[in-house]
Amino acid sequence: MATGRTHRPATRSRGIPEATVARLPLYLRALTALSERSVPTVSSEELAAAAGVNSAKLRKDFSYLGSYGTRGVGYDVEYLVYQISRELGLTQDWPVVIVGIGNLGAALANYGGFASRGFRIAALIDADPAMAGKPVAGIPVQHTDDLEKIIKGHGVSIGVIATPAGAAQQVCDRLVAAGVTSILNFAPTVLSVPDGVDVRKVDLSIELQILAFHEQRKAGEEALPDGLPASAAAARENTDKGPDGDVPAVMPA
Amino acid sequence: MATGRTHRPATRSRGIPEATVARLPLYLRALTALSERSVPTVSSEELAAAAGVNSAKLRKDFSYLGSYGTRGVGYDVEYLVYQISRELGLTQDWPVVIVGIGNLGAALANYGGFASRGFRIAALIDADPAMAGKPVAGIPVQHTDDLEKIIKGHGVSIGVIATPAGAAQQVCDRLVAAGVTSILNFAPTVLSVPDGVDVRKVDLSIELQILAFHEQRKAGEEALPDGLPASAAAARENTDKGPDGDVPAVMPA
DNA sequence: ATGTCTTTGTGAACGTGTGCACAAAGATTG
DNA sequence: CAATCTTTGTGCACACGTTCACAAAGACAT
Ligand SMILES: NC(=O)c1ccc[n+]([C@@H]2O[C@H](COP(=O)([O-])OP(=O)(O)OC[C@H]3O[C@@H](n4cnc5c(N)ncnc54)[C@H](O)[C@@H]3O)[C@@H](O)[C@H]2O)c1
Ligand SMILES: NC(=O)c1ccc[n+]([C@@H]2O[C@H](COP(=O)([O-])OP(=O)(O)OC[C@H]3O[C@@H](n4cnc5c(N)ncnc54)[C@H](O)[C@@H]3O)[C@@H](O)[C@H]2O)c1
């Protein structure tokens, strides 16, 4: 998420905030569920509850797309599903390649929710010659040597990287050189890409570490009931190591 | 970030901004790499480059933790690794359970970067009786019936949900009732949890859809001011066909 | 038509995050 | 010790995001 902000004077409401874009798939999911239950219309309050957001936020989000609601009634479910799908570019099918068919890559390939949302696995690619030709999720794995040919042959613009971290940048470079302009990276590495290429990352460790941070905070707060956040301040004070750093300067373990 | 009622902004203590917390693991990763190369000190500029962020942002982030740098020199790598680890609560080992040992759950269990970052897989849990006792990643899978016993026995406070969407809320409720207060959710559902429980989600489809949005914008910027009639909307709603895929989120009435 | 009732769409206030730019701190050199 | 050089830590301004609160739009009943 570092796409150079195209400073568009907003001729029309064409500038949808990034935070809104990130929530559209959430709305779409909730709306699809309603659609399957043949619910004709939904209010911002109901839909917001289903998507787990504030209703005012939802209404403002939709206002960036246009005025698709009816006052006093709500939103037409089918119509909104279509509008959001169109906005997200899901009315077309996006061919996707997955590179690195190990534990994670195979799980991704087997993931059903992939195809049901506008994405199609065009190819699976791995560097291991022993894997070449072996089918995973019904799709034969192809060798990295053919990466460029595969990308260009299928007109792939979205790539998923599930290789070890050490190989990720190299794979990324090849993908980009072959024409991929959007990358979803599962490897724990920072990827550098040229302007115009989007990278999003999914990192399990980071998520867990964020949870651990809050978990620790919760555990420390139990001591003082309803009190002021003196503990945090005190803990930080400690780091003002005295003249002789009594705090170990080396990490244990 | 927590789902459910967020009326209370969660004790906005003298705390570290959420955006900063989310970057600390990134810094930690970069610092660990430097540490392994025995680099003694690093400047904000260098470290920022390695972590893929702006150096001013990095310095401001660190300023919330304390004054750990030396002007004219930079930051002591080992010391900073320790301080960030401590802040994130990684100086202790967090036992984690994974519920739902299918394609994804098994991949997560096999993921090495788990243990190397302060987390330990305490148990693997699945509802399939056929899986009980079978080892995955060297750990025998246990049945859901024993979920509460397992959680309490190991003092687990972090749970990972990798079940189908339809089972996620139910699993979540049981985890929370058993004492789990942090959940990492891979199922495409909005989880409701009581106050005090943190939920973070990882959703592949959402990431891909966000990429598709930007991809579409990049590709089709030449024309199409749209304005499609509503009739076209009704004509195309055939996008859903998930035979099993993910069970759509149920709406709380 | 008129009135009432529901719910949208949005202006405005507020909160959070980002990045510039620079004074101050400390290392280092002469 | 003073001068110089490097790099931190942060004040400030601005951009972005969230939430409140309410006028206006439209449905629906009478
Ligand atoms: N498994 C998880 O749950 C998980 C979680 C978070 C992050 N990750 C990350 O995802 C990545 C993959 O994890 P995994 O568990 O599947 O690892 P894995 O070792 O099982 O699979 C890696 C695959 O990548 C292939 N590969 C290696 N170099 C390649 C190259 N240059 N080009 C193409 N393919 C190449 C290997 O042959 C192998 O099949 C790792 O970076 C890991 O850190 C995994
Ligand atoms: N595989 C992926 O790459 C991927 C990507 C994104 C999201 N997801 C989501 O992750 C989840 C798991 O995906 P998967 O591909 O591993 O599915 P899967 O069907 O392979 O595995 C699901 C596992 O959960 C177990 N399970 C079902 N109900 C349970 C319950 N009540 N308690 C405990 N265990 C239960 C099943 O026995 C099975 O082993 C799904 O919600 C999926 O939508 C998967």
Side-chain angles (χ1 to χ4, degrees), chain A residues 104-114 117 186, chain B residues 99-106 125-129 131 144 147 161-168 170-171 174 185-189 202-205 244-247:
Chain A
L104 183 61
L108 296 176
N110 277 299
Y111 179 47
F114 229 124
R117 286 185 222 275
F186 284 87
Chain B
V99 186
I101 314 302
N103 287 309
L104 183 61
I125 302 179
D126 200 288
D128 187 351
M131 295 211 65
T144 324
L147 189 145
I161 297 180
T163 66
Q170 185 190 2
V171 166
R174 288 184 67 183
N185 180 33
F186 284 87
T189 322
V202 172
D203 194 317
L204 171 66
S205 296
D244 62 84
D246 5 311
V247 180

Side-chain angles (χ1 to χ4, degrees), chain B:
Chain B
M1 205 63 195
T3 337
R5 296 285 158 270
T6 341
H7 279 76
R8 165 168 276 169
T11 323
R12 184 120 314 276
S13 55
R14 289 204 104 333
I16 303 173
E18 193 57 32
T20 295
V21 172
R23 281 188 294 267
L24 290 181
L26 223 55
Y27 301 145
L28 185 55
R29 193 164 74 197
L31 284 164
T32 303
L34 291 171
S35 171
E36 277 164 12
R37 290 196 290 139
S38 301
V39 176
T41 63
V42 67
S43 71
S44 64
E45 205 70 52
E46 293 165 325
L47 185 55
V53 303
N54 177 297
S55 72
K57 195 190 295 186
L58 178 143
R59 287 198 299 277
K60 180 149 292 188
D61 283 342
F62 286 174
S63 78
Y64 293 116
L65 309 186
S67 273
Y68 297 148
T70 304
R71 295 174 190 227
V73 174
Y75 299 91
D76 181 282
V77 171
E78 297 296 332
Y79 186 61
L80 203 46
V81 164
Y82 170 70
Q83 289 298 343
I84 294 179
S85 295
R86 192 177 52 78
E87 200 68 54
L88 286 171
L90 303 181
T91 51
Q92 60 184 290
D93 229 44
W94 294 97
V96 173
V97 295
I98 304 177
V99 186
I101 314 302
N103 287 309
L104 183 61
L108 296 176
N110 278 298
Y111 178 47
F114 229 125
S116 71
R117 286 184 223 273
F119 300 94
R120 178 172 43 85
I121 299 179
L124 305 178
I125 302 179
D126 200 288
D128 187 351
M131 295 211 65
K134 273 175 73 175
V136 171
I139 301 169
V141 175
Q142 295 179 268
H143 193 266
T144 324
D145 288 348
D146 300 324
L147 189 145
E148 286 76 12
K149 189 177 8 172
I150 296 164
I151 300 290
K152 287 176 178 157
H154 289 84
V156 172
S157 56
I158 301 179
V160 176
I161 297 180
T163 66
Q169 182 64 60
Q170 185 190 2
V171 166
C172 172
D173 291 343
R174 288 184 67 183
L175 287 174
V176 170
V180 165
T181 46
S182 285
I183 289 176
L184 182 51
N185 180 33
F186 284 87
T189 322
V190 176
L191 295 178
S192 349
V193 292
D195 272 3
V197 176
D198 283 303
V199 175
R200 294 190 67 86
K201 66 174 191 305
V202 172
D203 194 317
L204 171 66
S205 296
I206 288 182
E207 298 301 323
L208 285 176
Q209 286 171 34
I210 295 171
L211 285 177
F213 171 85
H214 292 296
E215 200 58 41
Q216 177 179 247
R217 190 133 303 197
K218 278 183 251 173
E221 187 69 12
E222 38 261 37
L224 192 69
D226 103 270
L228 212 63
S231 53
R236 97 149 322 299
E237 88 291 355
N238 213 354
T239 42
D240 55 315
K241 52 114 187 240
D244 62 84
D246 5 311
V247 180
V250 264
M251 209 176 85

Side-chain angles (χ1 to χ4, degrees), chain A residues 179-193:
Chain A
V180 166
T181 46
S182 286
I183 290 176
L184 181 52
N185 180 32
F186 284 87
T189 323
V190 176
L191 294 179
S192 356
V193 292

